[in-house]
Amino acid sequence: MEKEQYRSVIRFLFLEGKSRSEIKERLDAVYGDSSPSMATVKNWFNEFQRGRTSVFDEPRPGAPKTATAEKNVTKIHDLVLADRRLKVREIAETVGISKDRVGHILHEILGMRKLSARWVPRLLTPDNKRNRETTSEQCLTLFKRNSKEFLRRFVTVDETWIHWYTPETKEQSKQWTSPGERAPKKAKTVQSAGKVMATVFWDSQGVIYIDYLEKGKTKGTQGCTMPNY
């Protein structure tokens, strides 16, 4: 369906007094996966609310430079800052320019890239960050006072779950194949339910001690004793 037809439906439902979400639901019910994005619905709903009656794009004379005019750059930048997960297609539909021009503005003019979220063990609260800063400053003071003695006596501890069986990764399962051969197959496996928690102590010379605690048990039933030095 042409984009003008979608806009006509949005305008018709707008004039019926439907909300943005109701219009989106109606479009999804009728057009399914080909339905315009919520960003497009919101944009044209706002246009009609401001008094616009035409569903056609305004004339954009001249070369592609018009598409990269300052107003388009600003509009695209505002859209991305409002929703950083927007797809290029959704931005193109909202602004009314091609996906190629949107990509050019995002990458070449705004210098933006779309990256996957980086995994971190946990998100620190302001209190966590403050405690780490204070502890680090105290350790640095002790280190400057006597670096050799500090490193000799400083012990770090961490915990991690170890599964009884961990399936190989996709990278580990790679095999050499001859021309014409199909990719090898393997049954999907998951990490075993059985696991133990390993508590590891180490200093500047290496690992000092490792304690294992089975799932379901506590330190009260299986204690952890550090070796004597």
Side-chain angles (χ1 to χ4, degrees):
M1 178 181 281
E2 295 293 333
K3 57 186 179 181
E4 289 80 8
Q5 292 176 282
Y6 286 127
R7 296 169 186 174
S8 297
V9 175
I10 295 172
R11 183 170 184 270
F12 173 78
L13 295 174
F14 165 78
L15 293 174
E16 277 197 340
K18 304 297 182 184
S19 66
R20 299 173 181 82
S21 57
E22 289 174 331
I23 294 174
K24 176 60 175 169
E25 289 176 2
R26 291 280 292 274
L27 290 169
D28 289 344
V30 175
Y31 302 112
D33 293 338
S34 61
S35 173
S37 66
M38 188 60 182
T40 300
V41 173
K42 288 181 178 179
N43 179 68
W44 282 96
F45 185 97
N46 294 338
E47 289 289 332
F48 298 138
Q49 201 171 43
R50 287 191 287 267
R52 181 167 179 168
T53 57
S54 173
V55 297
F56 296 94
D57 291 327
E58 296 178 353
R60 299 192 299 273
K65 289 183 179 179
T66 306
T68 58
E70 186 64 30
K71 64 177 182 180
N72 285 334
V73 175
T74 302
K75 190 170 185 178
I76 289 175
H77 201 186
D78 290 341
L79 286 171
V80 173
L81 292 179
D83 183 358
R84 292 181 178 271
R85 296 194 177 187
L86 277 178
K87 296 180 175 62
V88 171
R89 173 183 61 81
E90 295 173 337
I91 298 174
E93 290 176 357
T94 302
V95 180
I97 60 178
S98 69
K99 291 189 291 185
D100 288 342
R101 300 314 303 170
V102 171
H104 174 76
I105 291 173
L106 287 171
H107 300 303
E108 304 300 329
I109 298 179
L110 296 176
M112 303 186 78
R113 296 183 299 163
K114 199 170 190 180
L115 302 176
S116 299
R118 182 170 59 88
W119 184 90
V120 294
R122 61 181 59 84
L123 297 176
L124 299 178
T125 65
D127 288 342
N128 294 147
K129 294 178 180 179
R130 179 58 183 166
N131 289 337
R132 290 197 173 195
E133 181 182 357
T134 302
T135 302
S136 298
E137 289 175 348
Q138 292 173 348
C139 289
L140 183 59
T141 300
L142 293 173
F143 177 80
K144 290 179 177 179
R145 187 180 302 166
N146 190 332
S147 60
K148 291 184 179 180
E149 185 67 11
F150 175 84
L151 293 175
R152 188 184 71 81
R153 301 180 61 182
F154 193 88
V155 176
T156 305
V157 60
D158 200 3
E159 297 175 334
T160 183
W161 284 108
I162 300 178
H163 291 263
W164 293 348
Y165 171 73
T166 302
E168 65 180 4
T169 65
K170 189 173 182 180
E171 185 70 22
Q172 292 171 332
S173 68
K174 285 185 176 180
Q175 302 179 27
W176 290 107
T177 58
S178 301
E181 284 187 321
R182 292 185 177 182
K185 295 181 180 179
K186 59 176 292 186
K188 185 176 181 180
T189 56
V190 297
Q191 291 182 327
S192 64
K195 58 184 180 180
V196 295
M197 175 176 283
T199 304
V200 185
F201 300 83
W202 71 94
D203 62 8
S204 60
Q205 301 300 315
V207 174
I208 300 173
Y209 183 71
I210 303 178
D211 177 73
Y212 297 99
L213 180 69
E214 291 186 14
K215 182 182 178 182
K217 294 186 178 181
T218 64
K219 292 295 182 182
T221 58
Q222 181 172 330
C224 170
T225 304
M226 283 288 291
N228 294 321
Y229 283 93

